Every structure is written in C-alpha cells, then in structure tokens.
Amino acid sequence: MKTGTSRIYLDNATTTRIDPAVLEEMYEFEKRCWGVPAQIHTPGREARRALDASRERIARCLGVGEEEITFTSGATEANSLALFGAAQSPGRQRNGNHHIITSSVEHPSVLRACETLEGQGFEVTYLPVNSEGLVDPDDVARAIKDDTILISILLAEGETGAIQPVRDIANIAGARGITFHTDAAQAVGKIPVHPPDLGADLLSVSAHKFHGPKGIGVLYTRSGTRITPLLRGGPEQDTLRPGTVNVANCVGMAAALELASSRLENDMPRVVALRDRLLEGVTSIGCPIRPNGPKDDKNRLPGSLCLLFEGLEAEALLMNLDSAGVYIGAGNACASGALDPSSVLLATGLSRLDALNSIRISLSRDNSLRDVELALERFGSVVCRLRSVPV
C-alpha cells in the first residue's frame, strides 16, 4: 500500500472497530473503579453496581429480564454453554434424550460442540440449506424425533448474510417442548433482535460484532430453561458462569449495544444504500460477477455482500486489494495460511472452484460513500491487472 493511501475496512462481519464513545466509557470506568464485584468493600460494591447496571442496560436493549443475562467471553463460549449446558442438563441423559438438530452453516463453535456431543453418544442431525443459504423450517419439522432435546439454528450467517426463518423454527420447537437456541452474533446491531419475539430459549451475542470490545459476550437464557454450567467455581453469575467478570468489558458491551440499538433505524438504511452502490459499481468493472446468498433483501443482513468473480481467485483478489488498502474477507484460512473454500458456500451447492472465487464484503455504520467510491476505483484497477496476467 502506498504511503498516504486511505485504508478502507470492508470486513465488518469478522469484527468491527470499537466505537470511540464506548472506548471512552470503558476508560473512564477503569480509571475510577478497579474492584471485583464479589468483594463487600467499597471498590467491590462499586464494581458490583457497574456490573448490575451493564446487565440491566443490555437486558433493556434485548427486551428481556436482567436475570436472564449471563456474561461470557464471547459468542463462542455462549454457544458452548448453550449447547453443552442444554444437552447435559439434569435428567436428560438419564432419560435417554439424545437427539440434537442444527444446520450445516453454523459457526464452528456450534459445529465443533455438536461433534463433541456426538462423541459422547448424542445423535446430531445437520440440516442442509438451499442455494440461498437458508434452512427450510419443514426440514426442521421432519427431522424431529421423540428424543429430540435441542434445536440450534443461527439467526444470521456471516458469509452470505442469510437471515434464517428463526421465528418459524422456534414455533416448531416450542410446540414440541424442545429447547431452541440461536447464535445471534452476526445479527445483533444490524437487525432488531429481541429473544422473546424470536421465540428463543437461548441466544448468543458477541460485543465486537457491533462496535464493542472483544472478549465479551452474553448468553440469554429464558427464565425456566434448564442448563448446567460448563465451569465449576465460585458463586459469580449464580454459578452458571463462575469466575471473575471483566466489568470494564461489560460496561463497554452495554454502551455499544445501546448505541447500536438507538442508531439502528437510521444507520441500516444508509448501510443498505452503500451496499447497493458497491454492488452496482463492482458489476460494471468488466468481470463476470454473480452474487451469492439470498436474493430477497428481507432475508439478508443490511451490509452483507458475497460475490463470485468468475475466473478470478478470491485469494489473489484479497491480497491485491489488501496491498491497495481495501480489506475484505474470503474463504476459510487453513494451516498453511492459504484459503480453503468456504464451507458455507459449499453447503449452498457452489462448486469448489466457485467457492474459491468468491469474496465477502461486509459494511458497517463506520463506512461512508467515499469509502465505497474509493474501494470501487481500487477494485477496478486490481481486477483489470489480475485479468491481464497470463494463466
């Protein structure tokens, strides 16, 4: 990248830049409060008040009760706590309930948890998706067995931006008395997310996906839903997630969620307009391009764009754009540092070659029209250069 070249970040599905207002609130808290909430002296009580206030702020944004919020280190831990906690809750194994339903496009933290549960004797059904990356609720209904105890289907997927029909799936689960979990990490801050409206018993959230700090998340657990802790320790968070809580991160998550929630109605239409302008511009640069994922905007996250560049390797495009100061995502990183084809795109029916030729662009409220126009200039230059390279 040339010195002075503007850096344009278009990989917000991976992580977002922490909002300066969030960072300032965390900094001010850390300056004045260093206690541990479990202590009864003044610094401890100050930390406890900040922790309780953060939980209340997050609960209010999600439309749930404060007692239903458990802080975790992120969505990966929240997903593990939800799946292992629900599968291994008291009485379930003893009663022989061993069947779990999930999808083929879940986050690795869900898929790996399910694989581990299979090794422990649970049966897991991995549902397919259609060419748009969507789960069919009828497939969920058909997969249910008498011993199904848990259904886990993500709310939105980060590669294609596909928003799953979670409300319909939750209704199916609820009618059969089956616990329903959804990984909402990619959705919160981009679309309205209220667990009661979705019908979720368990819901996972990660702060760094909506301009909050890394290393903090939440598991919403509907009152009355039985899960068992993964960790053993002290009485923190009613023993469901013992261990000293990072209160500053909780404060930051609460601040970030309040900002995202209050700005959602104004920010997301602007993000959609930027995405549409980017798609319009990219399709006019002289390279055959095909969008992946949902065709209908109501089934797609506002800032998500997944594009197949026919005849161009995504890895080469990613690396050349990186040199030009444009940062996007593509595929799955493998041990060698190269890219493997996206497992999500393969699940939608794309060939290995088409998956390897696909990129992911994800915008956020931080992006501007200037970002998009500069990115389009650099896309055009990079694509022209790559297409002129002899094969």
Side-chain angles (χ1 to χ4, degrees):
M1 184 175 67
K2 294 179 181 178
T3 303
T5 300
S6 300
R7 291 153 58 95
I8 303 169
Y9 184 74
L10 302 177
D11 193 20
N12 291 279
T14 299
T15 195
T16 55
R17 183 180 69 95
I18 189 168
D19 191 286
V22 172
L23 198 58
E24 180 64 21
E25 186 167 341
M26 292 173 66
Y27 174 66
E28 290 300 321
F29 170 79
E30 282 283 26
K31 278 200 306 183
R32 71 174 189 273
C33 187
W34 59 91
V36 173
Q39 297 298 323
I40 63 173
H41 49 52
T42 297
R45 293 198 303 272
E46 290 172 345
R48 168 56 65 181
R49 284 194 293 271
L51 180 63
D52 290 344
S54 298
R55 183 177 282 109
E56 188 276 330
R57 295 164 74 183
I58 290 169
R60 186 172 63 249
C61 290
L62 295 177
V64 302
E66 296 172 46
E67 74 284 355
E68 297 175 312
I69 295 295
T70 301
F71 288 106
T72 66
S73 62
T76 288
E77 183 189 343
N79 287 338
S80 291
L81 179 56
L83 269 69
F84 289 112
Q88 299 171 348
S89 65
R92 280 184 167 158
Q93 287 183 305
R94 184 168 60 251
N95 295 333
N97 296 323
H98 286 95
H99 183 235
I100 297 167
I101 298 171
T102 190
S103 83
S104 57
V105 295
E106 299 295 315
H107 188 269
S109 59
V110 170
L111 295 176
R112 300 295 88 79
C114 287
E115 290 173 3
T116 300
L117 288 167
E118 283 185 288
Q120 295 175 357
F122 289 84
E123 180 186 358
V124 180
T125 297
Y126 299 90
L127 297 175
V129 294
N130 64 17
S131 61
E132 297 184 41
L134 299 169
V135 174
D136 185 343
D138 290 339
D139 286 345
V140 177
R142 285 188 287 267
I144 292 174
K145 301 182 179 183
D146 291 340
D147 63 347
T148 303
I149 59 165
L150 176 65
I151 298 173
S152 180
I153 304 293
L154 78 175
L155 178 51
E157 195 280 312
E159 187 82 18
T160 64
I163 300 172
Q164 301 297 340
V166 161
R167 176 74 256 191
D168 293 339
I169 296 170
N171 288 341
I172 292 167
R176 298 289 295 270
I178 300 167
T179 299
F180 177 68
H181 165 255
T182 187
D183 175 1
Q186 289 288 353
V188 175
K190 301 164 189 164
I191 59 175
V193 176
H194 302 106
D197 294 340
L198 294 172
D201 300 303
L202 300 161
L203 182 142
S204 304
V205 184
S206 185
H208 77 101
K209 301 293 187 180
F210 49 87
H211 305 280
K214 297 173 179 64
I216 187 70
V218 152
L219 177 66
Y220 157 78
T221 306
R222 182 180 59 81
S223 181
T225 302
R226 299 175 66 188
I227 61 173
T228 193
L230 293 182
L231 305 175
R232 300 296 183 268
E236 296 90 352
Q237 303 198 77
D238 295 325
T239 73
L240 186 56
R241 202 276 192 172
T244 301
V245 182
N246 186 333
V247 183
N249 269 9
C250 297
V251 169
M253 181 174 186
L257 188 54
E258 284 182 339
L259 277 173
S261 300
S262 66
R263 297 177 57 170
L264 191 66
E265 190 174 339
N266 291 326
D267 283 342
M268 289 306 110
R270 185 179 65 83
V271 170
V272 169
L274 293 177
R275 182 199 67 197
D276 291 347
R277 168 61 189 133
L278 191 56
L279 176 60
E280 175 191 32
V282 169
T283 54
S284 66
I285 62 178
C287 178
I289 294 169
R290 188 170 79 232
N292 298 321
K295 296 178 175 61
D296 193 327
D297 267 0
K298 71 181 178 63
N299 295 327
R300 182 169 49 154
L301 291 173
S304 291
L305 199 56
C306 187
L307 300 173
L308 164 59
F309 282 73
E310 296 181 11
L312 282 183
E313 290 186 359
E315 185 170 7
L317 190 55
L318 185 153
M319 297 303 294
N320 278 269
L321 285 171
D322 179 80
S323 296
V326 179
Y327 312 120
I328 62 170
N332 303 317
C334 67
S336 68
L339 290 181
D340 280 340
S342 161
S343 56
V344 169
L345 296 182
L346 294 177
T348 67
L350 260 64
S351 68
R352 178 181 173 85
L353 179 60
D354 282 349
L356 283 170
N357 289 353
S358 296
I359 65 166
R360 178 192 69 211
I361 298 171
S362 44
L363 300 103
S364 80
R365 68 175 189 241
D366 277 351
N367 293 119
S368 65
L369 182 58
R370 180 175 182 274
D371 288 340
V372 169
E373 297 300 340
L374 285 174
L376 287 173
E377 288 180 18
R378 297 174 196 178
F379 258 100
S381 175
V382 166
V383 169
C384 287
R385 184 166 66 252
L386 290 175
R387 286 179 64 80
S388 67
V389 174
V391 179

